[in-house]
Amino acid sequence: ARLEFDDAVRDGWRYRIGAGAGIRLGGRWDLRVDYAFEEHQADHGQAINRTKPGDVFDTTAHTYAGRVDFFYNEVLSLFAAYALRDGDVVSTTRRNAAIFGASSALTNDRPFGPDFVAYKIDAIVHILSFGVSFALTPRSSLNFGYERQIGLGRDGLDYANDVFRGGVLFSY
């Protein structure tokens, strides 16, 4: 994919390749494992000091994932998944000495304001997901999910995110 933004420091190419395999166990269970490699190559990097490069948006990561689906009946299905992502994480903050020290790259992040800085760290991210799907018709469903992301970054830059999802899926 080609990414283009108003702020050229984020412009670049994004690549993702992966493989997966799954198996149906009986009539009610699906098991799946996946692997993906992601890379983003930014067109421009703008260093803001002499000690750190400005290539914040040049990133690579490997993701290993597993998922189990349980089909309770023809209307209701449940899933649980786990993924481990190992690689670069980019975030934005105000100028902060602890983050500057732990990051591998820094650049100004003007879309968030004049005093915001984007930084890159190496991190392991654990992603736990759970969800439910209700069939509305043979071609549509109502879906809800929850995801807990636990990032363990260099020098104690750890974080956690909660993501709630909901939507209607229609197939034609």
Side-chain angles (χ1 to χ4, degrees):
R2 175 72 185 160
L3 304 174
E4 297 277 341
F5 298 92
D6 289 339
D7 186 8
V9 74
R10 294 174 184 266
D11 292 353
W13 290 95
R14 182 176 180 181
Y15 305 95
R16 180 180 168 99
I17 188 166
I23 188 170
R24 166 102 5 137
L25 300 174
R28 293 185 176 233
W29 294 92
D30 275 352
L31 298 176
R32 179 167 186 84
V33 293
D34 294 289
Y35 165 79
F37 172 76
E38 293 179 61
E39 182 176 40
H40 181 248
Q41 296 176 347
D43 295 342
H44 311 285
Q46 298 173 347
I48 59 174
N49 68 34
R50 293 182 208 158
T51 61
K52 303 274 182 176
D55 62 349
V56 171
F57 297 100
D58 287 348
T59 61
T60 60
H62 301 269
T63 302
Y64 310 90
R67 177 176 165 140
V68 61
D69 289 85
F70 175 70
F71 303 97
Y72 182 74
N73 56 32
E74 291 186 16
V75 174
L76 177 66
S77 64
L78 308 166
F79 79 86
Y82 170 77
L84 175 94
R85 184 181 183 280
D86 183 7
D88 298 318
V89 173
V90 175
S91 191
T92 297
T93 188
R94 294 184 188 275
R95 295 182 181 272
N96 178 310
I99 288 173
F100 281 18
S103 66
S104 60
L106 296 165
T107 193
N108 288 319
D109 205 359
R110 289 182 183 87
F112 290 94
D115 58 339
F116 282 84
V117 175
Y119 64 94
K120 176 171 62 174
I121 60 170
D122 184 44
I124 301 283
V125 181
H126 301 276
I127 304 165
L128 304 164
S129 305
F130 305 94
V132 60
S133 180
F134 301 96
L136 300 173
T137 71
R139 302 178 86 185
S140 65
S141 63
L142 180 62
N143 304 292
F144 298 100
Y146 167 73
E147 185 174 286
R148 176 73 170 171
Q149 303 168 347
I150 304 164
L152 307 173
R154 183 185 341 182
D155 292 341
L157 290 180
D158 300 341
Y159 63 90
N161 292 316
D162 294 297
V163 179
F164 297 90
R165 302 179 196 279
V168 176
L169 178 66
F170 178 76
S171 176
Y172 57 94

